[in-house]
């Protein structure tokens, strides 16, 4: 396997990870943010915009916490 194939494979996995993260962050912002942290119930739109990159990056950890 040459480096081009490895690069495409890596970028493919990264793309899938980001797509799942975007979908997860959308769902969590609409339905379940307050179940992860009750203090976010009264948070505004600005706070929710700020945490989107973190939700996308750490979606596997947050998914497990949300499912408990």
């Amino acid at each position: 396997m040459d480096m081009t194939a490895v690069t495409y494979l890596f970028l493919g996995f990264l793309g899938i990870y980001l797509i799942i993260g975007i979908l997860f962050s959308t769902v969590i912002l609409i339905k379940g943010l307050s179940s992860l942290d009750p203090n976010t119930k009264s948070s505004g739109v600005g706070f929710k915009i700020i945490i989107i990159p973190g939700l996308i990056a750490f979606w596997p950890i947050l998914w497990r916490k949300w499912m408990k």
Side-chain angles (χ1 to χ4, degrees):
M1 190 182 279
D2 62 340
M3 286 304 292
T4 305
V6 172
T7 303
Y8 284 136
L9 188 64
F10 175 75
L11 291 176
F13 282 128
L14 183 63
I16 291 169
Y17 186 89
L18 288 175
I19 289 170
I20 294 171
I22 290 168
L23 292 173
F24 175 77
S25 67
T26 304
V27 170
I28 203 80
L29 285 174
I30 293 172
K31 295 190 177 203
L33 188 59
S34 61
S35 67
L36 285 174
D37 187 359
N39 294 326
T40 61
K41 192 172 272 190
S42 62
S43 63
V45 176
F47 171 75
K48 291 177 181 177
I49 291 171
I50 289 172
I51 65 168
I52 288 173
L55 289 172
I56 292 171
F58 298 113
W59 72 264
I61 297 166
L62 296 169
W63 174 269
R64 277 186 260 142
K65 185 175 179 181
W66 192 37
M67 290 294 119
K68 287 184 181 179

